[in-house]
């Protein structure tokens, strides 16, 4: 994009983000999921639910359902693509930096919560399943 | 509508002078002029308010009421003068009817706890509306839960107005009717006088959330005829941390305290105490003295400009904004037509989530609120997860409406919306 007024925002809302926002991957719910969690970002009402199927410590299927801003929905969609076929150990290592890398930019503090909501839901779902307390 | 157009309320020169009083308008977020369109959440402050508070802290800060020394007397006088200013501003001859609280939310809770728990019984009905801010909904939910009363709702019509067709039936058996004077989400202006009169005729007290009304239109509590009204200083050029609960003296006089401790007592013995008269009975602890001083300065400022003119000017900006927004494809504006609304405009743009829209507007220096505006049930009803809300005040300009429109155009370009 050549319009100089786009500085910053065009980097944030790149084509693949808009694509994941409008065509979320792994969208929907799973029947009898092995792990599931839903959470909201009360600030803006963003909502994400994630369902997971696991076999021998490996994520065999994942679906998510949500509503909210492009950042929260796209980053959740990207995350679901990233974790399919991954072991719990590998998923445990996914952190904030990885999500930001997925999204591809450094976002402002006000929007960080949006970007990280999917990861939070994922970790909570797995923690509920495998630990006593959600992390 | 043309009548509104003819009466701008404030001339360009007036507004330019007003803008000089607001230091924050010189800020340049992201290198852009600050276009502040979020006054419904909290207004900016003129230098007169900032200076009055500064002067208080520099020259006469001391705790009030019990000090016999000079500066404590000055502080006490300033605090009580602030009460008198507010009383004059909302048209009550009785300053003691104005109780200083932390904000409107606390004022509404005061009524719910003190009047509510004394007067509401199991089986009574409490009537609210579907367009209430959470602050004028949750206290009544809690009151209903704790007393066994039932909550009833006045519905909101498709175009964002109160559906008053079954009001008499809803009021039948109701002890309290709580409603907002102006919706903070849809901008709807409600007929307070009529609603208060009908509540009274049905034997219910009326509690008016005046948060969005007092800052933007002339309010006369005698004319309104309600029983309680609550509003916050920070939305009317004043500081955060202080709000007002106005109540009819005879109701306040009969109410037990809400918070207890110093400042609100008559005689204290080890096991019991008597309580001070109104308003002190409802002002436990050291109050927000500097904030009261700032609020008084805000009231003087608004009075000097004139609430009639402020309201006219805001309507003028609202009309212009609605006209411009209507010209932008993919913009949906919520709420009623101009004659029933004020300069609080909720919108969505295509499939852009309100948060994304607000982020992009922010990158152009345009501040709007995004979200559910503490109005979740109403948003559910509208069927939108969140809206972006622009609200106007006396320091905004037509050029700022234009800036809003071009920032919306930018958001549409980024999201590739035709
Ligand atoms: C209509 C309405 N009621 C109540 C409130 C709550 O005001 P405060 O947070 O100052 O108590 C607001 C402010 O957002 C409002 O707009």
């Amino acid at each position: 994009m050549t319009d100089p007024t786009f500085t910053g925002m065009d980097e944030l809302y790149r084509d693949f983000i808009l694509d994941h926002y409008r065509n979320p991957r792994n969208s929907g719910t799973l029947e009898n999921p092995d792990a599931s969690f839903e959470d909201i970002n009360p600030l803006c009402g963003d909502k994400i639910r994630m369902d997971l199927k696991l076999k021998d410590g490996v994520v065999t299927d994942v679906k998510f359902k949500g509503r909210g801003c492009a950042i929260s929905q796209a980053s959740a969609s990207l995350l679901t693509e990233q974790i399919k076929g991954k072991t719990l150990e590998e998923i445990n290592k996914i952190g904030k930096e990885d999500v930001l890398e997925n999204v591809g930019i450094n976002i402002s503090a006000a929007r960080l919560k949006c970007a990280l909501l999917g990861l939070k839901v994922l970790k909570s779902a797995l923690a509920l399943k495998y630990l006593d307390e959600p992390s | 509508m043309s009548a509104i157009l003819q009466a701008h309320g404030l001339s360009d020169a007036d507004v330019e002078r007003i803008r000089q009083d607001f230091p924050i308008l010189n800020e340049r977020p992201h290198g852009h002029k600050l276009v502040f369109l979020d006054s419904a959440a909290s207004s900016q402050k003129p230098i007169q308010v900032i200076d009055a508070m500064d002067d208080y802290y520099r020259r006469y800060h001391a705790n009030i009421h019990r000090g016999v020394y000079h500066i404590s007397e000055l502080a006490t006088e300033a605090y009580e003068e602030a009460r008198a200013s507010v009383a004059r501003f909302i048209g009550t001859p009785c300053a003691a009817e104005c109780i200083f609280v932390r904000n409107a939310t606390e004022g509404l809770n005061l009524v719910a706890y003190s009047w509510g728990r004394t007067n509401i019984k199991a089986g009574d009905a409490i009537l609210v509306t579907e367009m209430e801010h959470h602050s004028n909904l949750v206290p009544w939910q809690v009151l209903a839960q704790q007393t066994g009363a039932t909550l009833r709702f006045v519905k909101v019509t498709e175009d964002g107005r109160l559906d008053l067709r079954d009001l008499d039936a809803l009021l039948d058996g109701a002890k309290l009717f709580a409603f907002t004077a102006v919706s903070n989400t849809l901008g709807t202006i409600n007929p307070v006088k009529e609603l208060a009169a009908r509540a009274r005729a049905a034997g219910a007290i009326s509690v008016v959330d005046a948060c969005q009304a007092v800052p933007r239109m002339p309010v006369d509590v005698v004319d309104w005829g309600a029983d309680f009204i609550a509003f916050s200083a920070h939305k009317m050029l004043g500081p955060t941390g202080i709000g007002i609960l106005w109540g009819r003296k005879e109701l306040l006089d009969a109410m037990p305290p809400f918070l207890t401790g110093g400042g609100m007592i008559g005689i204290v013995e080890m096991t019991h105490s008597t309580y001070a008269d109104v308003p002190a009975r409802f002002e436990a602890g050291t109050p927000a003295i500097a904030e009261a001083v700032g609020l008084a300065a805000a009231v003087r400022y608004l009075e000097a400009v004139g609430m009639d003119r402020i309201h006219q000017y805001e309507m003028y900006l609202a009309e212009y904004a609605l006209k411009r927004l209507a010209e932008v494809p993919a913009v949906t504006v919520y709420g009623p037509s101009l004659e029933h609304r004020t300069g609080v405009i909720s919108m969505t743009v295509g499939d852009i989530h309100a948060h994304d829209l607000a982020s992009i507007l922010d990158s152009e220096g345009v501040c709007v609120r995004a979200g559910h505006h503490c109005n979740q049930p109403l948003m559910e009803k509208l069927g939108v997860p969140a809206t972006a809300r622009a609200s106007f005040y006396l320091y905004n300009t037509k050029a700022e409406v234009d800036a809003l429109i071009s920032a919306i155009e930018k958001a549409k370009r980024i999201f590739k919306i035709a």
Side-chain angles (χ1 to χ4, degrees), chain A residues 70-123:
Chain A
I71 305 300
S72 72
Q73 302 304 305
S75 79
S77 169
L78 286 157
L79 187 63
T80 60
E81 285 194 317
Q82 187 185 359
I83 63 172
K84 253 195 212 174
K86 291 261 158 61
T87 65
L88 289 173
E89 232 163 68
E90 289 168 314
I91 291 176
N92 258 335
K93 289 204 196 98
I94 300 176
K96 177 175 150 182
E97 307 71 34
D98 304 285
V99 171
L100 294 184
E101 203 169 298
N102 281 349
V103 183
I105 42 112
N106 246 332
I107 36 188
S108 71
R111 304 302 303 278
L112 203 57
K113 278 211 165 79
C114 309
L116 296 177
L117 181 60
L119 182 65
K120 189 174 158 215
V121 169
L122 170 66
K123 298 248 163 148

Side-chain angles (χ1 to χ4, degrees), chain A residues 1 3 5-6 9 13 15 18 21-22 42 44 46 67-70 111 114, chain B residues 351-353 355-356 359-360 363-364 372 380 385-386 410 413-417:
Chain A
M1 278 167 216
D3 186 333
T5 64
F6 274 45
M9 285 294 131
Y13 296 103
D15 284 354
L18 295 183
Y21 172 54
R22 290 187 168 130
C44 57
D46 287 357
R67 64 175 196 203
C69 68
R111 304 302 303 278
C114 309
Chain B
D351 70 345
I352 310 178
H353 189 273
H355 243 215
D356 296 313
S359 274
I360 297 171
S363 73
E364 294 292 300
H372 51 60
E380 291 285 333
K410 171 178 170 178
R413 281 198 302 274
I414 289 178
F415 271 76
K416 305 188 170 53
I417 293 173

Side-chain angles (χ1 to χ4, degrees), chain B residues 103-105 133 135 180 184 209 211-212 232 234-235:
Chain B
N103 46 39
T105 302
H133 188 281
S135 291
T180 191
N184 63 302
D209 176 351
C211 269
Q212 298 296 344
S232 291
H234 68 90
K235 294 182 198 279

Side-chain angles (χ1 to χ4, degrees), chain B residues 118-195:
Chain B
T118 311
N119 293 285
I120 301 281
K121 306 272 179 296
D124 289 342
I126 298 168
L127 182 60
V128 297
T129 87
E130 284 182 341
M131 65 165 76
E132 297 313 310
H133 188 281
H134 297 164
S135 291
N136 198 27
L137 172 61
V138 182
W140 311 119
Q141 290 175 343
V142 173
L143 177 61
Q145 281 156 13
Q146 294 186 347
T147 57
T150 51
L151 266 191
R152 294 178 187 163
F153 294 89
V154 177
K155 288 201 160 45
V156 173
T157 61
E158 290 284 293
D159 68 338
R161 300 171 62 198
L162 292 180
D163 182 349
L164 299 177
R165 281 173 306 184
D166 2 300
L167 184 62
D168 289 329
L170 287 167
L171 276 168
D172 187 25
K175 283 273 182 65
L176 183 150
F177 181 19
F179 57 90
T180 191
V182 172
S183 161
N184 63 302
T185 303
L186 301 174
T188 317
I189 300 178
N190 289 326
V192 176
K193 194 173 171 173
E194 178 196 340
L195 298 179

